[in-house]
C-alpha cells in the first residue's frame, strides 16, 4: 500500500504541480467536487473587476463594440473548441446546458423529419432526459426510448453523456457515434462531466453540449456551449430563434433570418460578467497539456480506489480507462457519511439514493490530497471507542437543499 511520503514524492514530480497555485482553495480542505463546481482561478477576480469597472464602468454601452461583448459567444467558442476536438466556427457559448440540449435535439429532429423516436439514457443526468421528455411532449407523436434497449434503427437522434454523472462510467464516443450513424440517426453528446478532465473529441458527432463550471472552473452560473458539426451549418435550424441568432440583428427586421454558421444557434444577450470569468479560466486551459491531465486523472482515481479498498462498494468501473475523473461508492447511509466527511475537510457530494461521489480535478488535486481524503473517509466509517461510527451523529441526518 502506498504511504503518504510516497504520495508527497509523486506530487514533487508531478508535471502539473505548478497549476495548483493558480487556484484559490480554503486551507485544510481537500476539494473532490470539481465535477460539480470547479475551484476559483486566482485570475478570475481581477478579470471580472476589469469587466465591471473598466469596461462597463468606463465604456458603458460602448462595451458591446469596444470590449468585444457582442462577439463573446463566438470568440469564447473558438477558444473552447480545442478542448472538445472541434475547430474554429464550430462552437457557440451562451445560455445553459438545458437550453443547449433542447436546441441540439430539436435541430436533430428537424433534420430527420421521417423518424419519430428519440433515444436517451433514462439514467442520464436528469436535465438531459427531462428536456427530451418536455420536447417530445411539446411536439407530440414522439417516442422516448431508453438507450439500454440498444435499438437505433428507427431513431431520429440519440442523446448520451460521455461520462455517467453517478458512476463515472465512460462511453466510447467514436464507437457509439459510429453505431448511431450506421442506423441513420444523429448523435448528440453531453460532455459536461468529461471536458476539462480528459481528451474529448466530438468532431464525429452531429452536436455536442457541455457546461463550463465543472472541470473548466468558469464559476457558478457560467455559460454552457453548443457544438454543431460543420456539415449541418447550412441546414440545421435553431428552434429558439432569438435576436442574437439573426443574420443582421441590428437591421431590426420583422422576420427571422438565421445567421450563417454556428452563430445561428446564439439566442439572447450574452451574460457578460459570466463570460469574463470564463475567459479567465480559459487563460489557464490554453496552457494545459490534456494528455498529462488524463494520465494524472487515472492515477489519482486509481490511488483513491486502492486506498479505500473494500471499506465501501465501488460502483465506478474498476478499470481507470473506462471511467471519467470520478470515483463513486455505494453506502446505504451515504448522505450522513458525506456530511460527516465534509465536516472534516474532505468535500465530495451525494447522489440519491446511496452514492458517495468524488471528483478529481487534476490541476489542483495532488496525490497527498488523495491519501488524506481516503484516510479521513476510513476514519468516518470506522467505529469510535464507543462502537459508534462518526457519521451516525444526528446532525448529519438533516438534508440540505443541495446535496
Amino acid at each position: 500500500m502506498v504511504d503518504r511520503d510516497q504520495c508527497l514524492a509523486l506530487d514533487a514530480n508531478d508535471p502539473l504541480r505548478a497549476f495548483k497555485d493558480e487556484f484559490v482553495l480554503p486551507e485544510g480542505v481537500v476539494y473532490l467536487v470539481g465535477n460539480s463546481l470547479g475551484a476559483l482561478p486566482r485570475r478570475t477576480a481581477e478579470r471580472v473587476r476589469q469587466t465591471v469597472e473598466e469596461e462597463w464602468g468606463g465604456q458603458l454601452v460602448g462595451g458591446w463594440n469596444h470590449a468585444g461583448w457582442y462577439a463573446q459567444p463566438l470568440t469564447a467558442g473558438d477558444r473552447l473548441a480545442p478542448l472538445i476536438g472541434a475547430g474554429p466556427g464550430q462552437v457557440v457559448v451562451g445560455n445553459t446546458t438545458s437550453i443547449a440540449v433542447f436546441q441540439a435535439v430539436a435541430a436533430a429532429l428537424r433534420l430527420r423529419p421521417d423518424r419519430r423516436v428519440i433515444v436517451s439514457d433514462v439514467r442520464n443526468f436528469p436535465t438531459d432526459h427531462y428536456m427530451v421528455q418536455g420536447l417530445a411532449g411539446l411536439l407530440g407523436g414522439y417516442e422516448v426510448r431508453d438507450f439500454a434497449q440498444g435499438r437505433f434503427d428507427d431513431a431520429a437522434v440519440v442523446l448520451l453523456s460521455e461520462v455517467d454523472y453517478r458512476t463515472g462510467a465512460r462511453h466510447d464516443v467514436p464507437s457509439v457515434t459510429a453505431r448511431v450513424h450506421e442506423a441513420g440517426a444523429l448523435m448528440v453528446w453531453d460532455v459536461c462531466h468529461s471536458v476539462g478532465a480528459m481528451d474529448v473529441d466530438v468532431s464525429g458527432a452531429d452536436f455536442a453540449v457541455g457546461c463550463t463550471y465543472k472541470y473548466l472552473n468558469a464559476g457558478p452560473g457560467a455559460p454552457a456551449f453548443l457544438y454543431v458539426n460543420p456539415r449541418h451549418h447550412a441546414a440545421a435550424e435553431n428552434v429558439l430563434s432569438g435576436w442574437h441568432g439573426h443574420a443582421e440583428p441590428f437591421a431590426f427586421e420583422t422576420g427571422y433570418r438565421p445567421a450563417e454558421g454556428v452563430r445561428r444557434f446564439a439566442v439572447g444577450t450574452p451574460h457578460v460578467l459570466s463570460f469574463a470569468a470564463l475567459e479567465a479560466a480559459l487563460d489557464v486551459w490554453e496552457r494545459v497539456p490534456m494528455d498529462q491531465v488524463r494520465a494524472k486523472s487515472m492515477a489519482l482515481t486509481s490511488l483513491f480506489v486502492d486506498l479505500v479498498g473494500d471499506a465501501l462498494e465501488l460502483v465506478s468501473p474498476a478499470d481507470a480507462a473506462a471511467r471519467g475523473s470520478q470515483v463513486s461508492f455505494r453506502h446505504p447511509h451515504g448522505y450522513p457519511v458525506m456530511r460527516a466527511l465534509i465536516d472534516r475537510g474532505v468535500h465530495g457530494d451525494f447522489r440519491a439514493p446511496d452514492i458517495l461521489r468524488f471528483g478529481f480535478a487534476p490541476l489542483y488535486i495532488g496525490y497527498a490530497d488523495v491519501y488524506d481524503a481516503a484516510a479521513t473517509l476510513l476514519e468516518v466509517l470506522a467505529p469510535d471507542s464507543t462502537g459508534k461510527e462518526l457519521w451516525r451523529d444526528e446532525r448529519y441526518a438533516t438534508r440540505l437543499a443541495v446535496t
Side-chain angles (χ1 to χ4, degrees), residues 109-129:
L109 293 179
R110 288 195 172 189
L111 290 169
R112 292 291 185 272
D114 56 329
R115 296 189 173 202
R116 313 292 291 181
V117 175
I118 306 170
V119 175
S120 175
D121 185 351
V122 299
R123 291 154 297 279
N124 205 347
F125 192 76
T127 196
D128 289 20
H129 199 55

Side-chain angles (χ1 to χ4, degrees), residues 379 382-390:
E379 176 188 330
D384 62 14
S385 58
T386 68
K388 178 181 177 181
E389 295 95 336
L390 293 173

Side-chain angles (χ1 to χ4, degrees), residues 64 69-73 93-96 223 242-245 249-250 263 266-275:
W64 290 107
W69 296 345
Y70 176 73
Q72 282 177 323
V93 178
N95 308 305
T96 66
W243 182 40
H244 281 246
F250 290 91
R263 176 88 210 192
V267 179
T269 305
H271 300 166
V272 173
L273 301 185
S274 292
F275 268 92

Side-chain angles (χ1 to χ4, degrees), residues 42-72:
R42 292 191 182 278
R43 65 187 62 213
T44 299
E46 172 58 24
R47 181 65 185 88
V48 173
R49 183 208 63 77
Q50 177 188 347
T51 300
V52 171
E53 296 182 5
E54 299 176 18
E55 296 177 5
W56 180 15
Q59 300 178 27
L60 298 172
V61 73
W64 290 107
N65 288 315
H66 305 306
W69 296 345
Y70 176 73
Q72 282 177 323

